[in-house]
Amino acid sequence: MIDLANLPPVAFEEFRNMIVSAVKAGARLNALFGAVLPKAGAPGSDAKQVTGDLRLFAVLAQDSAGTLNVTSTLVGDAYPALTPDCPQAHWFEREIAEQWGVKPEGHPWLKPIRFHRSYREGRDAWTRSAEIAIQPGVVNFFTMTGDEVHEVSVGPVHAGIIEPGHFRFQCHGEKVYHLEISLGYQHRGVERALVGGPDKRTIPYMETLAGDTTIGYALAYCEAVEALAGCRVPARAQTLRAIALELERLANHTGDIGALAGDVGYLPTANFCGRIRGDFLNMTALICGNRFGRGLVRPGGILFDLDETRRMELSKRLRQAGEDVSNAIELLWEAPSVRSWFDNTGTVSRETALELGLVGVAARASGIERDVRAQFPSGIYRFAHIPVSLYHTGNVFSRAHVRWMEIQRSIAFIFDQLKVLPEGPVRTPTGPLAANCAVVSLTEGWRGEICHVALTDAAGRFAHYKVVDPSFHNWMGLALALRDQQISDFPLCNKSFNLSYCGHDL
Amino acid sequence: MLKALLARAHQKHRTIGFPQQPPVLPDRLRGRPEIDVALCPKDCHVCADVCPTDAISVDEKGLRLDLGRCLFCPECVQACPEGAIRFTTEHRLAASFRDALILGDKEFQLAKALDEKSRKLFGRSLKLRQVSAGGCNGCEADVNVLNTVVFDLGRFGIQFVASPRHADGLLVTGPVTQNMELALRKTYDAVPSPKLVIAVGACAISGGPYIGHSEQRNGVGGIVPVDLLIPGCPPHPITILDGLLRLLGKMDASEGSAAGKSPG
């Protein structure tokens, strides 16, 4: 947490150079966003009004050192884009252009990402008329020309029970030369609604930013608020939060491996894992009554304690599910047809993954040691370490294998924690939030790094609240994984990333 | 191959006995809420004040709770000084029309079965197209789970299909974002008549946590006619299954009550 007074805007050139050179030297862009802050010392002004200068903020991580840097600058109607010198800024600069109606000049791929009007009335980075409705997915896609070249268009409504998104493939025969992903269908205006909070809707917003990551998101939010309030969460609550976060990872990783098996037609593992995923969800429900952990994590701690009967029951169920999931997944590795399909599909090289700034399973499966739990630990992870699960081949197998390693380590972690569950309360009052401050909160959700940046005003309310879902970094990784692949392998590649639509669209 | 068979034996038979047998539900499940207004102090509206979606309202007519807006979050129970409001583990929540979801002085009316003609059409084979229109992947996930061996939706003749042209109706989740409105309308139009629409979750019924946002449409009801509403955030899979079976007339009013409670 830093006082905004200690974070004066620097000159734009300095801002740009600092980011470009830091990223070249191995740093990573966790967040790059715009905000219009109320003038300092003007409490009571309407927090939702958006007039004034646009300020850009950047959060940079040095993963190996475990340090974060925050910098900011002021920009006018346009500025020289960072993306040509820093591909990690690509998606962020499209977001800034769309939200604030400024133009990052020289951006090679400047298209909307969510298809909504700018937050500042009358400003539009594409000078679109205010009279004409903005249609999602209506944009000039990159195209390829030539004999027998064809285009395949998929979505927004998909064949299965999944969220909406649009995928446009440029193909020659079966082979995909380029995939462009156009999202925004799930945009429900959460970030803007968070301004002026926290209020009674803040927690439901957080728990549904990506509903399959309820614990991850609620935790990132609560840790941000607790830092602003100077609140120390009781040890028992910290441990139970981590148990819930690992259960969330277990459920999703198990479901993902099952779905990968299903996509190559290996039905035993697909069916077993589909069921075992539910067993993990039911363990979360054992703690708090809801399979996704709704209602569990709150600022200052948690709302449901684990009594002794429940602790024993959870251990028992975890042991059984652990045996079942090993049985189901080891079967998958023994099928040569599965291995050869997984091995030869959807490769993202380490260099590409570094350049794009991938996070989570996708990064670790391309050989990048990147895990918030190890490098920026908070709560119980400061004392109880989980080894980073790494594999180097960058393909579908690698992403499945990293999940499998993480499943085993999460189970071991929960067992350890259940044995040494600290005594004491599970919640403490939080108190008011510090005024005119900025806080960065990182959580390793099951998809990867969740980054929240909260900026408070003079009254200690949110002047701006930035949410970066791991998918925000990783959708481009999926697009590149599809290059030179058979279009029929799209479902398999897609599932191996399993990115969030609503977490991206916000 | 032998290993696959051994694994099959290890994994056992897992399909639940519901609806013939009562479902096993978590003992902390937040199912249908119950309010004992006799305990409410005069002029107290603490529960209404903390409700994130204004599902609770208190006025001269008394206290009402709109299950269509309710997120089943614990805030009201935590806030009530008298313990007048509590969640039961009653999982049966589906209703046939919007007003039925407003709990107050009248008895809660569970969803009614389709008329005989519709039951003849859909009762033994119901194909649904799922449309996520701003859903957070919570409802989607717990609809999807009905396809696992645990719930085995296929045994009731219900199946999710990959094209609206193959479907008898839509199952919609999410508040219907502005960016999904057209896609939802087009998908609806592409389903041959007669057709059904099922709204699953607080978002699809009322907008849920996003009620009032200009980026969405406060649920499915304003876009296409809805035949079945299943509240929750997200509803438990058993709640969804119970709703679907009620619609098809495969449950009578007393069937499938939650008698078997064990932790989890």
Side-chain angles (χ1 to χ4, degrees):
Chain A
M1 186 180 85
I2 35 175
D3 193 324
L4 280 170
N6 297 329
L7 184 67
V10 298
F12 178 78
E13 270 312 300
E14 197 184 321
F15 177 82
R16 191 180 189 283
N17 287 340
M18 187 199 154
I19 295 170
V20 170
S21 57
V23 169
K24 277 198 176 126
R28 184 167 59 88
L29 206 48
N30 308 71
L32 172 66
F33 62 96
V36 173
L37 299 183
K39 293 268 181 290
S45 63
D46 180 3
K48 292 202 188 201
Q49 73 176 19
V50 275
T51 52
D53 296 330
L54 177 64
R55 199 159 153 190
L56 298 188
F57 289 84
V59 182
L60 287 156
Q62 292 285 354
D63 291 327
S64 50
T67 56
L68 290 172
N69 279 305
V70 182
T71 178
S72 85
T73 188
L74 292 165
V75 289
D77 294 340
Y79 69 91
L82 280 74
T83 305
D85 297 314
C86 175
Q88 286 187 27
H90 165 200
W91 217 260
F92 287 115
E93 289 199 302
R94 285 167 68 171
E95 182 186 51
I96 292 167
E98 184 166 42
Q99 290 186 337
W100 302 104
V102 295
K103 192 154 185 182
E105 284 171 331
H107 191 293
W109 197 332
L110 194 61
K111 299 175 189 179
I113 60 168
R114 300 195 182 104
F115 298 89
H116 61 76
R117 295 246 176 253
S118 135
Y119 294 169
R120 293 193 291 182
E121 217 178 305
R123 283 174 185 264
D124 189 280
W126 296 273
T127 55
R128 293 170 293 190
S129 160
E131 314 289 302
I132 301 162
I134 296 175
Q135 297 285 348
V138 178
V139 67
N140 287 325
F141 289 98
F142 284 115
T143 53
M144 197 169 86
T145 51
D147 283 348
E148 294 178 30
V149 163
H150 64 104
E151 189 178 76
V152 178
S153 156
V154 179
V157 186
H158 299 292
I161 305 178
I162 43 173
E163 297 173 66
H166 183 81
F167 300 88
R168 192 70 69 96
F169 301 87
Q170 306 298 322
C171 302
H172 182 260
E174 276 284 291
K175 195 170 171 183
V176 178
Y177 281 80
H178 179 71
L179 160 62
E180 189 164 352
I181 300 171
S182 185
L183 302 173
Y185 297 92
Q186 301 282 69
H187 179 60
R188 33 217 203 289
V190 184
E191 259 187 12
R192 203 152 56 138
L194 288 168
V195 174
D199 56 36
K200 62 184 186 175
R201 277 215 204 171
T202 309
I203 270 282
Y205 285 141
M206 294 299 166
E207 291 189 333
T208 58
L209 274 167
D212 49 29
T213 317
T214 296
I215 300 289
Y217 264 112
L219 201 50
Y221 164 71
C222 288
E223 289 185 347
V225 168
E226 286 151 9
L228 286 167
C231 156
R232 292 170 69 93
V233 178
R236 188 174 176 86
Q238 290 184 16
T239 305
L240 288 170
R241 283 174 168 189
I243 289 173
L245 188 68
E246 297 309 320
L247 282 175
E248 186 167 86
R249 192 179 326 277
L250 283 167
N252 284 290
H253 281 4
T254 303
D256 283 352
I257 293 181
L260 286 168
D263 276 340
V264 296
Y266 194 72
L267 299 183
T269 303
N271 287 327
F272 302 152
C273 284
R275 188 269 299 178
I276 303 162
R277 170 183 168 275
D279 290 352
F280 289 122
L281 293 176
N282 288 339
M283 290 180 216
T284 303
L286 171 72
I287 303 174
C288 72
N290 182 289
R291 285 155 54 90
F292 297 88
R294 307 273 161 93
L296 178 60
V297 183
R298 289 292 183 273
I302 53 169
L303 289 190
F304 296 89
D305 200 355
L306 202 64
D307 52 57
E308 187 52 23
T309 326
R310 261 169 235 278
R311 192 179 68 86
M312 302 290 282
E313 175 69 15
L314 184 56
S315 285
K316 192 178 115 201
R317 288 196 204 181
L318 190 64
R319 183 156 294 114
Q320 186 59 54
E323 280 173 23
D324 291 354
V325 79
S326 294
N327 177 275
I329 292 173
E330 275 161 12
L331 198 59
L332 183 70
W333 306 142
E334 299 207 1
S337 58
V338 171
R339 279 300 302 267
S340 74
W341 204 338
F342 279 19
D343 274 344
N344 296 312
T345 310
T347 305
V348 178
S349 70
R350 184 169 194 272
E351 293 66 40
T352 304
L354 281 171
E355 204 171 16
L356 293 176
L358 298 191
V359 297
V361 169
R364 295 192 284 277
S366 289
I368 302 172
E369 196 167 341
R370 187 169 285 170
D371 188 327
V372 171
R373 292 172 296 170
Q375 288 154 338
F376 301 93
S378 58
I380 198 71
Y381 295 106
R382 287 169 299 167
F383 313 109
H385 303 289
I386 291 192
V388 179
S389 301
L390 274 182
Y391 204 67
H392 59 278
T393 51
N395 49 22
V396 171
F397 172 75
S398 196
R399 288 186 284 278
H401 184 64
V402 166
R403 285 185 173 95
W404 169 226
M405 285 192 281
E406 294 190 357
I407 286 173
Q408 298 168 78
R409 286 166 178 175
S410 293
I411 291 175
F413 175 86
I414 298 176
F415 272 131
D416 287 349
Q417 296 309 312
L418 283 174
K419 277 184 213 136
V420 293
L421 204 55
E423 295 294 323
V426 292
R427 203 178 184 197
T428 185
T430 34
L433 310 189
N436 295 317
C437 277
V439 67
V440 179
S441 166
L442 301 178
T443 297
E444 189 72 23
W446 63 275
R447 282 195 184 90
E449 176 186 284
I450 298 164
C451 173
H452 284 201
V453 187
L455 306 174
T456 56
D457 64 13
R461 318 293 298 179
F462 296 139
H464 193 81
Y465 199 99
K466 181 78 209 118
V467 172
V468 187
D469 187 86
S471 310
F472 197 87
H473 302 277
N474 286 5
W475 276 110
M476 199 61 199
L478 170 63
L480 293 186
L482 248 287
R483 291 205 172 167
D484 293 334
Q485 303 294 301
Q486 304 260 310
I487 191 167
S488 50
D489 278 335
F490 174 66
L492 184 65
C493 290
N494 191 20
K495 198 63 75 181
S496 75
F497 281 85
N498 195 7
L499 303 176
S500 176
Y501 300 77
C502 54
H504 171 277
D505 291 346
L506 301 177
Chain B
M1 189 62 207
L2 184 63
K3 282 207 168 142
L5 290 171
L6 288 171
R8 177 67 196 82
H10 172 90
Q11 301 280 346
K12 303 197 185 91
H13 175 79
R14 299 289 183 168
T15 306
I16 53 172
F18 183 84
Q20 286 76 24
Q21 286 155 24
V24 177
L25 295 162
D27 65 336
R28 282 178 173 172
L29 178 80
R30 290 188 294 281
R32 194 193 301 164
E34 223 171 54
I35 304 164
D36 186 354
V37 283
L39 294 175
C40 293
K42 199 171 177 302
D43 297 329
C44 176
H45 41 78
V46 177
C47 53
D49 294 345
V50 298
C51 180
T53 54
D54 300 323
I56 305 175
S57 56
V58 185
D59 58 20
E60 63 280 1
K61 282 182 248 160
L63 192 146
R64 281 185 309 281
L65 197 160
D66 182 354
L67 286 182
R69 284 176 169 239
C70 182
L71 304 180
F72 297 77
C73 67
E75 316 303 328
C76 51
V77 177
Q78 297 266 327
C80 179
E82 304 298 329
I85 189 162
R86 68 180 192 102
F87 285 100
T88 69
T89 53
E90 175 56 65
H91 65 279
R92 293 172 300 177
L93 298 168
S96 298
F97 55 98
R98 187 66 184 85
D99 273 355
L101 292 174
I102 297 169
L103 300 184
D105 39 13
K106 61 183 189 304
E107 188 89 341
F108 180 68
Q109 256 186 304
L110 274 169
K112 289 207 164 34
L114 293 165
D115 62 39
E116 204 174 329
K117 192 177 157 220
S118 302
R119 281 218 304 276
K120 216 166 168 186
L121 277 170
F122 303 128
R124 293 169 61 185
S125 164
L126 178 67
K127 309 286 172 192
L128 296 170
R129 171 78 158 153
Q130 204 274 323
V131 180
S132 168
C136 73
N137 209 23
C139 289
E140 288 79 355
D142 266 353
V143 168
N144 214 353
V145 85
L146 297 178
N147 288 319
T148 63
V149 292
V150 178
F151 301 94
D152 190 17
L153 195 60
R155 67 193 155 125
F156 305 106
I158 307 170
Q159 193 192 354
F160 289 95
V161 292
S163 164
R165 302 274 190 214
H166 303 158
D168 302 310
L170 301 180
L171 187 150
V172 188
T173 52
V176 187
T177 51
Q178 183 176 318
N179 285 351
M180 272 306 284
E181 185 181 348
L182 181 64
L184 175 62
R185 284 184 195 279
K186 282 186 173 177
T187 310
Y188 178 79
D189 290 343
V191 176
S193 292
K195 49 192 157 189
L196 301 171
V197 176
I198 300 162
V200 172
C203 289
I205 297 171
S206 67
Y210 313 107
I211 293 173
H213 286 204
S214 62
E215 294 87 350
Q216 56 80 55
R217 299 289 177 255
N218 290 337
V220 187
I223 315 287
V224 292
V226 179
D227 302 278
L228 179 70
L229 307 104
I230 307 178
C233 187
H236 192 278
I238 287 286
T239 302
I240 304 172
L241 183 55
D242 172 81
L244 294 174
L245 295 180
R246 268 172 213 289
L247 185 73
L248 298 180
K250 295 189 178 186
M251 299 276 257
D252 61 42
S254 61
E255 231 177 358
S257 61
K261 300 274 164 30
S262 76

